[in-house]
Amino acid sequence: GHYGYAAWKMDIPAMILERGYSCVLRKEWYEGHMDSIRLLMNHFNMYELEKEIPCEPQINFKKSAYLTVDRKGIWWPAVVPEQDVKKGELLGEIKDYFGNVITSYYAEGDGRIIYLISGMVVHDGDEAVAYGLYEDCVR
C-alpha cells in the first residue's frame, strides 16, 4: 500500500492491476493487463486507442472473506476461481494421507471465489481460499 498512498499524497494517478492466481500466466490475463494500461493512458490523452476495447461488467466487493485453515494435511478444494458460492456451501476439506476427512470448511456468506491456493499440503494458519462477499457489493 505504500506506493498507492505515495501516489495519492502527491496527486499522481495510479492503478493496481490484479489478474489471475497461483503464479500462473495466461495469455488472456496478460492481454487484459495491456488493455487496462492502454485504456488508462487513453483516458489521460497519452495514447490513442487503435480499436475499441470492450469493458467487462465489474463487481466491486466491499467485503471479502479469507479462509485460514486451522489444521495441517492435504487440501481438497471444492470450488474454483470465479465460481459463485452460497452461504454454507462447502469450500474445501483437509484430509489425511489416507483420504480421511480431518475437517471441512464452508462459505460464511454468498459470494464469488477470487482465488485459492494451488498447493496440496496446507499447514495451520495457511490462507486457502479468498472470496468476495455479495453483501453491499457494487455491480
Side-chain angles (χ1 to χ4, degrees), residues 28-99:
E28 63 268 23
W29 294 342
Y30 170 80
E31 290 171 353
H33 277 308
M34 296 306 295
D35 285 345
S36 295
I37 292 167
R38 288 183 188 104
L39 282 167
L40 181 66
M41 290 176 67
N42 178 260
H43 176 78
F44 289 106
N45 298 314
M46 298 167 61
Y47 177 85
E48 189 171 328
L49 294 175
E50 297 168 7
K51 62 182 170 92
E52 179 90 14
I53 297 175
C55 293
E56 300 287 327
Q58 299 294 309
I59 300 173
N60 293 318
F61 295 105
K62 292 185 177 185
K63 295 181 181 177
S64 55
Y66 296 87
L67 168 62
T68 302
V69 299
D70 57 358
R71 307 279 167 81
K72 65 180 180 177
I74 307 298
W75 173 246
W76 289 85
V79 293
V80 295
E82 300 181 26
Q83 176 181 335
D84 288 330
V85 293
K86 296 282 186 195
K87 182 177 182 175
E89 187 173 337
L90 180 67
L91 297 175
E93 297 176 318
I94 294 179
K95 297 182 181 183
D96 65 19
Y97 291 103
F98 303 102

